[in-house]
Amino acid sequence: MIVHTFERRQPLVIVEVTVIVNGKVKIFHFAVDTGATITLVSDDAMKKMGYTKADSIKTTQTITASKSETVCEYNLDNIMAIGLIRRNFKVLSRSLPVGLSIDGLLGLNFFKNKELTIDFKLSEIRLK
């Protein structure tokens, strides 16, 4: 079992995410979002990784809580968070609201085939 602690005073559950692109390690901060089916990376974070919209696999329609919009889809070679590594991992990219101090949302596809427990009392995320 993997146990990761988070800062309970934050309004979101924030975790460090490591992405390896062309042998270079990039560190980001994502919110764990159990309401997101697919992991979302901000357009700014994709740029910091060296990706452009021309690198996207395709565009796709998504539905958010407030609207439907077109986003770019990418495959990341390696993404790591909470002791879990995913390879050839599908993410979507779009801009995030101004003032939101995160680089993306870690969605349910990241936790596929795992048992995820978020314990707010102990400020722990547990993965089995």
Side-chain angles (χ1 to χ4, degrees), residues 52-66:
T52 66
K53 290 190 187 270
D55 297 316
S56 67
I57 298 166
K58 65 178 182 178
T59 57
T60 188
Q61 282 294 118
T62 62
I63 299 171
T64 67
S66 60

Side-chain angles (χ1 to χ4, degrees), residues 14-18 27-31 45 96 101-105:
I14 308 291
V15 297
E16 186 174 278
V17 173
T18 303
I27 306 294
F28 299 98
H29 294 92
F30 284 31
L96 293 178
S101 58
I102 58 172
D103 301 302
L105 304 172

Side-chain angles (χ1 to χ4, degrees), residues 92-110:
L92 301 177
S93 180
R94 65 177 284 264
S95 60
L96 293 178
V98 174
L100 196 59
S101 58
I102 58 172
D103 301 302
L105 304 172
L106 210 51
L108 293 178
N109 66 329
F110 187 80

Side-chain angles (χ1 to χ4, degrees), residues 1 11 15 19 21 28 42 45 48 57 63 68 86 98 101 103 109-111 117 121 123:
M1 179 185 335
V15 297
V19 178
V21 181
F28 299 98
S42 72
K48 289 176 186 172
I57 298 166
I63 299 171
S68 175
R86 297 294 186 196
V98 174
S101 58
D103 301 302
N109 66 329
F110 187 80
F111 301 104
T117 303
K121 186 175 182 181
S123 299

Side-chain angles (χ1 to χ4, degrees), residues 39-107:
T39 296
L40 177 78
V41 181
S42 72
D43 289 340
D44 289 341
M46 292 303 293
K47 286 178 192 168
K48 289 176 186 172
M49 290 179 214
Y51 287 96
T52 66
K53 290 190 187 270
D55 297 316
S56 67
I57 298 166
K58 65 178 182 178
T59 57
T60 188
Q61 282 294 118
T62 62
I63 299 171
T64 67
S66 60
K67 63 183 174 181
S68 175
E69 63 184 304
T70 302
V71 297
C72 291
E73 182 178 317
Y74 298 85
N75 274 340
L76 299 182
D77 290 338
N78 292 288
I79 182 170
M80 298 168 274
I82 316 170
L84 188 59
I85 300 169
R86 297 294 186 196
R87 290 179 173 77
N88 196 30
F89 185 70
K90 178 175 130 178
V91 299
L92 301 177
S93 180
R94 65 177 284 264
S95 60
L96 293 178
V98 174
L100 196 59
S101 58
I102 58 172
D103 301 302
L105 304 172
L106 210 51

Side-chain angles (χ1 to χ4, degrees), residues 8-26:
R8 83 173 79 194
R9 287 174 280 161
Q10 296 289 331
L12 299 170
V13 177
I14 308 291
V15 297
E16 186 174 278
V17 173
T18 303
V19 178
I20 300 173
V21 181
N22 297 324
K24 295 181 182 176
V25 176
K26 307 284 184 175

